[in-house]
Amino acid sequence: MENTLNIRKAWILVIIFFFTASVRVSAQIRIFDQVDNQPIAKATVIDGAGRVVGMTDRYGILPEKVQKTKGFSVRHIAYETLDVHSLASCDTVLLMKPVTLGLEEINVNSSKLEYLYIREYFRIYQLKDTVLEYYQTGYLDSFVKLKNKRVKEHVVGRKTLYDKDIKLTEDGLLPLEAICFTLIEPCVEGKTMAYKIRKKRLEEKGDSLVSKKKNGNEAAFIHVNRDAGITIAGRDYLAFKGDHQLNIWGLKLAGFRQFNITTLEESEVYDSVEEEPTVKDLQSSFCKMEVFFNSKKIKEGVKVCCIGESYVVDRKLLSRERMEELWEKPLPADTVRTNAVVPSMSEKHQAKINQMKRYRYKKK
């Protein structure tokens, strides 16, 4: 009889455990698209202290460490930035509005127009121990030859800021760790990320196509949002290529003992829902890279996170003659369309940026 009671008590405890666990799992903050009500994956999450604490998963769920904070921000290159100051419930769905860059459609219908001109506004920011330390903006002009997809490009109006507590070297240069900026500088390629992903074996999931890692997680995806008229392609580069990390030993020449890229997330957004969007449909791009390195001066090692974003603010077809003119004499950095809308930085990061110093590049 006593054994029977003990067994019943044990089963009751098991039932209570699974019930409370299911309630705890269901009480989550989720981020959804305001237009098609689908979860937003790979959105960057910044907590109330301005620290980058992770990304939403494929179900749009925020990292657990954010669930208990009072305020946070969510950013994605395809959506307007969401700043949340307080929540009435920890079990809620928050909606993000797709961003509208107002780009004109490109129709290739003239043999005299040989080049596609793309001007992107870019921003790169670098964090050490999740704290913002460097911030860079500028414009990238790219000239894509339509015939062979070769690309020429240059940067206009580059501006670099750094934390006021960072000390420059004796030569007035930025510290060695700032070299991470150069690894995720924006670039336009003739073939899109969506094209590269489609070459892999993909599985259908509603309006999405995904490729899987060996452990079952997604290595890459293509999501078509027909209501908003956009396609999002993204990949975990290391998983997509089958690598655990990238070791860039060539950087030893710059003073590093070790330089390992442990995370590399990439995505592109196209203002097209065609099966294979091309470079003329590019709207924005994103790259998140986490790096561990050490040097003679930093023996214990440092982990930094670099995030790069770029937004197409103008695009048009050009003749060869006009391309050569713009290559020799670029348009001023402030020559952009007034209706170009670029997502803002999070409130915490913008406040930090406003207090930074500007780095003055030395003329060669």
Side-chain angles (χ1 to χ4, degrees):
M1 183 69 177
E2 185 176 348
N3 289 337
T4 303
L5 289 174
N6 289 335
I7 292 173
R8 287 179 178 176
K9 287 180 181 180
W11 274 109
I12 291 172
L13 289 173
V14 169
I15 293 171
I16 291 174
F17 170 79
F18 281 107
F19 176 75
T20 55
S22 64
V23 171
R24 185 169 62 251
V25 170
S26 63
Q28 294 169 323
I29 303 171
R30 290 158 289 175
I31 308 298
F32 277 45
D33 184 299
Q34 179 178 305
V35 177
D36 69 354
N37 290 316
Q38 293 298 310
I40 300 174
K42 303 295 184 182
T44 303
V45 183
I46 301 106
D47 71 8
R51 298 170 299 198
V52 174
V53 294
M55 306 179 85
T56 55
D57 65 15
R58 60 177 299 230
Y59 303 105
I61 299 174
L62 268 64
E64 288 186 10
K65 61 182 73 175
V66 182
Q67 305 283 343
K68 299 178 182 179
T69 61
K70 292 183 179 180
F72 57 88
S73 299
V74 186
R75 302 191 68 254
H76 191 291
I77 56 172
Y79 299 88
E80 295 182 8
T81 300
L82 178 66
D83 291 304
V84 180
H85 300 107
S86 62
L87 287 172
S89 170
C90 290
D91 184 15
T92 187
V93 173
L94 301 175
L95 302 178
M96 294 183 73
K97 181 180 179 182
V99 70
T100 303
L101 295 180
L103 298 168
E104 296 182 5
E105 185 177 352
I106 298 293
N107 293 313
V108 182
N109 54 13
S110 174
S111 58
K112 295 182 179 180
L113 302 178
E114 303 177 46
Y115 288 86
L116 171 64
Y117 167 73
I118 299 175
R119 166 159 283 196
E120 295 176 280
Y121 168 78
F122 70 85
R123 58 164 71 108
I124 305 172
Y125 47 108
Q126 182 171 315
L127 307 98
K128 183 169 70 174
D129 297 328
T130 71
V131 178
L132 182 64
E133 288 193 335
Y134 299 95
Y135 181 71
Q136 186 179 98
T137 60
Y139 293 91
L140 177 71
D141 285 351
S142 301
F143 303 86
V144 184
K145 192 167 185 178
L146 298 174
K147 187 175 182 180
N148 56 21
K149 298 297 186 294
R150 291 182 180 175
V151 182
K152 295 174 62 175
E153 57 191 21
H154 53 215
V155 173
V156 180
R158 187 193 303 273
K159 179 180 178 182
T160 301
L161 305 176
Y162 63 98
D163 188 277
K164 58 185 179 180
D165 295 327
I166 291 176
K167 294 181 180 180
L168 302 180
T169 66
E170 294 179 357
D171 298 326
L173 303 176
L174 290 172
L176 190 61
E177 63 195 50
I179 197 173
C180 298
F181 265 157
T182 63
L183 298 180
I184 59 169
E185 284 191 345
C187 66
V188 171
E189 298 183 15
K191 294 181 179 179
T192 64
M193 188 179 302
Y195 171 83
K196 296 174 183 178
I197 292 174
R198 282 186 178 275
K199 294 173 67 176
K200 293 281 185 176
R201 185 176 180 179
L202 302 174
E203 300 178 14
E204 289 191 22
K205 283 194 173 182
D207 282 336
S208 295
L209 297 171
V210 300
S211 68
K212 293 292 188 67
K213 302 180 191 178
K214 291 182 178 179
N215 61 7
N217 294 329
E218 291 180 6
F221 70 91
I222 299 174
H223 175 67
V224 180
N225 185 334
R226 299 189 181 281
D227 294 324
I230 61 174
T231 297
I232 303 175
R235 65 181 179 179
D236 177 336
Y237 183 88
L238 300 182
F240 191 73
K241 294 294 185 179
D243 298 322
H244 174 66
Q245 64 181 17
L246 293 177
N247 302 317
I248 307 181
W249 300 109
L251 286 176
K252 281 188 175 182
L253 298 175
F256 291 104
R257 291 177 183 270
Q258 185 182 21
F259 195 98
N260 299 333
I261 297 176
T262 57
T263 300
L264 187 55
E265 300 272 358
E266 301 174 309
S267 61
E268 289 182 349
V269 180
Y270 318 95
D271 55 359
S272 169
V273 293
E274 298 296 328
E275 183 173 344
E276 291 190 9
T278 64
V279 66
K280 69 180 178 61
D281 304 310
L282 182 66
Q283 176 174 295
S284 54
S285 60
F286 169 88
C287 179
K288 177 185 177 184
M289 181 181 68
E290 293 182 350
V291 178
F292 175 84
F293 65 85
N294 57 33
S295 64
K296 293 180 180 178
K297 294 183 179 180
I298 311 174
K299 296 180 180 179
E300 67 277 10
V302 170
K303 184 177 181 179
V304 301
C305 173
C306 294
I307 296 177
E309 307 167 1
S310 61
Y311 302 89
V312 177
V313 294
D314 198 8
R315 65 186 182 194
K316 53 193 170 187
L317 296 176
L318 300 176
S319 64
R320 181 182 182 85
E321 293 73 22
R322 181 55 177 158
M323 181 278 293
E324 291 175 347
E325 290 176 7
L326 290 179
W327 180 257
E328 294 297 328
K329 188 178 180 180
L331 294 172
D334 57 355
T335 305
V336 297
R337 297 174 301 106
T338 55
N339 62 331
V341 178
V342 174
S344 62
M345 293 292 288
S346 68
E347 292 178 350
K348 288 290 183 180
H349 280 175
Q350 189 58 55
K352 183 70 179 292
I353 291 167
N354 293 341
Q355 298 175 350
M356 288 182 167
K357 294 181 179 180
R358 181 168 182 179
Y359 177 70
R360 302 291 178 179
Y361 288 94
K362 293 187 176 182
K363 294 184 179 180
K364 297 181 180 181

